[in-house]
Amino acid sequence: MKRRMTILLAAALLLAAAASLAAILRPAPETDRPVARITLDGELIREIDLSRITAPETFVVTAADGGSNTIAVEPGRIRVSAADCPDQICVSQGFISDGTVPIVCLPHKLMISISGGGSDLDGAAG
Amino acid sequence: MRRRLLSLALCAGLLLGLLSGCSCGLVDADTQVFAMDTVMQLQVSASGKAAAQGALDGAVAQLNDLDKTLSVSGTDSDVQRLNAAEGTWVTLSETGADLLKQALELCALTDGALDITAYPAMEAWGFPTGTYRVPDETELAALAANIDYTRVELDEENGRARLPEGMGLDLGAVGKGYAGDRLAENLRAHGVSYALLNLGQSTIMAIGSKADGTPWRIGVQDPAGEDYLGVLELTNQAVGTSAGNQRYFEQDGVRYWHILDPATAAPARSGLASVTVVADSGLLCDGLSTALFVMGADRALEFWHDHPELNIQLVLVADDGSVSITPGLRDRFTIRDPERGVTVLQ
């Protein structure tokens, strides 16, 4: 009886160990490709895998108040190339290519941030 | 023999449990808030979804309250009422009085390199509205003469303040850092041990480490490029960056940025392109990064030497792209491009 309990317990522990091992060895989610997330007032409107861009392209996003930003995408990087906001901060920021600092157009509540790209950052200053 | 096997299995199980990052039961939640003229991103880990979401909701409400009190553009904020009072006394909220006190102390500590009364100059350059222009020298001299934090009167006992007519106050250089301190205080009091508060592009506050026990990895932007300069490891501290490329306009080939030298009312050209400050307090990081940017490398280093009690660490990037750090960051700052040297300041 006692022996059976011991075997059971050992088996349970081994199973737990194997499960943990599987959890550790499970392939990590793919974070090495830079993906740009474009949000308007917090709502995701488009996600672009920047590593899959082969030719430059531009498109326009329109905010709730009617303001618009022209977004230019090139292989590995993204920028706001034109906007009708008063301060033009989003345009003057230029291209971003990693997760450092997002592009923000405050008047239009637009944000472009990049995740992945191998830098594995939790936040950015600057 | 059997017992040995058993204990072996037990050890293996425990070890693997530990290795798999026993953030057991912790749930992450994050949100984005538009406040204080910037976009903020808050993320917390807490035991259970309800706790995490509750902590976030509390933080967002607190942030919106702070914004209402401190905003320079908001109607009926403490700052707006002070600026409109034409030299009369204005009763402040408890928060407003507390921040004003701390801000004035920081102005004094930096000998006016940080000055919260530069708002009329900011307006003259068009930074708050985006209608940019370059004021001429006569105008700048007049503006500079009216930048003087020592003329702000704070009556702590009665919770009121007074600003001479013609002067204007802006707590933007310290407000985000102050908000970070207050939010962190509140979250910690509610038992949150892991959180990252990104209070806009310049100020970040970490509560604890990441839930797996490793430090938060914060990218410091290269002021001259589109990449990050390096990675800063942050645990239970704040970081603030001031840089000339954060907000600027160009006219006739000259770049004019939003960090003004209180002595000249014009963009501070001190030879530094960016200053990053790591400290326990968000307010300190926020205010000092601006002040040290204005001071330039030599005076910044002198300030760092003179104030060991502040326990601050610095990353300085000069206009020529050279990078220097204080010794406390030697093991916590990793430059992205190893070819680019880092000088450790002494």
Side-chain angles (χ1 to χ4, degrees):
Chain A
M1 189 59 195
K2 204 169 176 190
R3 180 189 298 179
R4 190 171 294 168
M5 278 292 284
T6 314
I7 291 173
L8 260 171
L9 199 68
L13 275 169
L14 275 171
L15 202 72
S20 319
L21 195 68
I24 295 168
L25 296 180
R26 186 182 53 202
E30 228 174 301
T31 54
D32 56 337
R33 287 211 304 256
V35 174
R37 289 170 54 87
I38 303 171
T39 59
L40 272 176
D41 202 4
E43 196 180 320
L44 181 68
I45 54 164
R46 194 157 166 184
E47 249 178 345
I48 302 167
D49 183 342
L50 296 176
S51 65
R52 296 223 169 131
I53 301 291
T54 49
E57 58 172 287
T58 62
F59 56 94
V60 175
V61 296
T62 307
D65 66 356
S68 66
N69 300 70
T70 305
I71 295 172
V73 186
E74 287 182 13
R77 58 188 201 160
I78 187 166
R79 69 171 295 176
V80 174
S81 55
D84 55 10
C85 58
D87 58 27
Q88 299 289 300
I89 290 173
C90 56
V91 179
S92 61
Q93 191 174 343
F95 279 104
I96 59 169
S97 56
D98 62 29
T100 321
V101 171
I103 296 174
V104 176
C105 179
L106 270 181
H108 299 163
K109 298 197 171 183
L110 168 84
M111 181 157 103
I112 307 173
S113 56
I114 297 177
S115 59
S119 56
D120 189 23
L121 298 171
D122 301 306
Chain B
M1 178 62 194
R2 190 170 296 134
R3 185 169 295 171
R4 192 178 298 169
L5 232 156
L6 185 71
S7 45
L8 214 91
L10 192 72
C11 284
L14 276 175
L15 198 72
L16 285 168
L18 277 176
L19 277 175
S20 56
C22 222
S23 40
C24 323
L26 281 176
V27 176
D28 295 330
D30 62 86
T31 191
Q32 200 184 82
V33 196
F34 286 87
M36 299 189 173
D37 293 327
T38 187
V39 58
M40 306 187 172
Q41 287 164 291
L42 315 177
Q43 63 180 95
V44 303
S45 297
S47 50
K49 199 172 174 183
Q53 194 55 48
L56 265 190
D57 290 347
V60 171
Q62 194 184 5
L63 208 44
N64 286 329
D65 271 355
L66 283 165
D67 198 11
K68 259 181 235 155
T69 312
L70 310 175
S71 161
V72 72
S73 54
T75 50
D76 212 33
S77 75
D78 280 5
V79 174
Q80 190 274 333
R81 285 186 301 120
L82 255 175
N83 286 344
E86 298 178 338
T88 61
W89 286 102
V90 170
T91 304
L92 302 176
S93 65
E94 206 175 307
T95 307
D98 183 40
L99 172 55
L100 185 56
K101 176 172 178 270
Q102 292 193 39
L104 288 171
E105 283 170 0
L106 206 50
C107 292
L109 187 71
T110 60
D111 202 16
L114 173 73
D115 196 310
I116 53 174
T117 61
Y119 191 65
M122 288 291 279
E123 278 186 310
W125 286 91
F127 284 107
T129 55
T131 315
Y132 301 120
R133 58 186 274 274
V134 180
D136 64 26
E137 279 185 27
T138 322
E139 189 181 352
L140 287 178
L143 286 164
N146 256 342
I147 301 177
D148 183 1
Y149 72 92
T150 62
R151 283 152 69 191
V152 180
E153 293 173 87
L154 174 64
D155 173 5
E156 276 186 70
E157 208 164 295
N158 298 304
R160 58 183 193 157
R162 185 162 68 168
L163 196 64
E165 209 173 344
M167 286 177 66
L169 194 80
D170 178 12
L171 297 174
V174 286
K176 293 192 255 310
Y178 178 77
D181 291 340
R182 295 295 297 263
L183 257 63
E185 184 183 45
N186 200 23
L187 286 170
R188 284 191 183 108
H190 283 83
V192 172
S193 314
Y194 313 100
L196 191 68
L197 314 175
N198 190 336
L199 303 143
Q201 296 180 20
S202 57
T203 314
I204 293 176
M205 181 100 209
I207 297 178
S209 60
K210 290 201 264 190
D212 65 5
T214 61
W216 299 98
R217 289 164 55 79
I218 309 300
V220 177
Q221 172 82 3
D222 184 351
E226 63 189 69
D227 282 322
Y228 67 100
L229 178 75
V231 178
L232 200 59
E233 294 189 348
L234 197 67
T235 304
N236 222 18
Q237 278 197 305
V239 57
T241 296
S242 289
N245 64 317
Q246 284 166 339
R247 202 165 172 178
Y248 66 87
F249 69 95
E250 276 169 357
Q251 189 172 306
D252 302 328
V254 183
R255 188 176 280 203
Y256 299 95
W257 47 78
H258 76 298
I259 305 172
L260 303 183
D261 183 343
T264 61
R269 298 189 193 278
S270 65
L272 286 177
S274 110
V275 174
T276 297
V277 178
V278 180
D280 292 342
S281 145
L283 178 111
L284 211 52
C285 291
D286 212 358
L288 280 185
S289 63
T290 307
L292 301 186
F293 185 97
V294 169
M295 287 182 192
D298 293 348
R299 277 179 66 202
L301 191 60
E302 204 175 304
F303 181 90
W304 175 75
H305 273 295
D306 289 348
H307 294 282
E309 80 285 358
L310 297 176
N311 195 20
I312 54 169
Q313 300 297 334
L314 311 174
V315 181
L316 306 178
V317 185
D319 282 340
D320 64 7
S322 60
V323 183
S324 344
I325 60 172
T326 48
L329 293 183
R330 211 191 308 240
D331 300 325
R332 292 162 57 197
F333 179 77
T334 313
I335 194 108
R336 185 181 60 93
D337 174 8
E339 302 271 297
R340 193 169 175 171
V342 177
T343 307
V344 179
L345 298 164
Q346 296 300 334

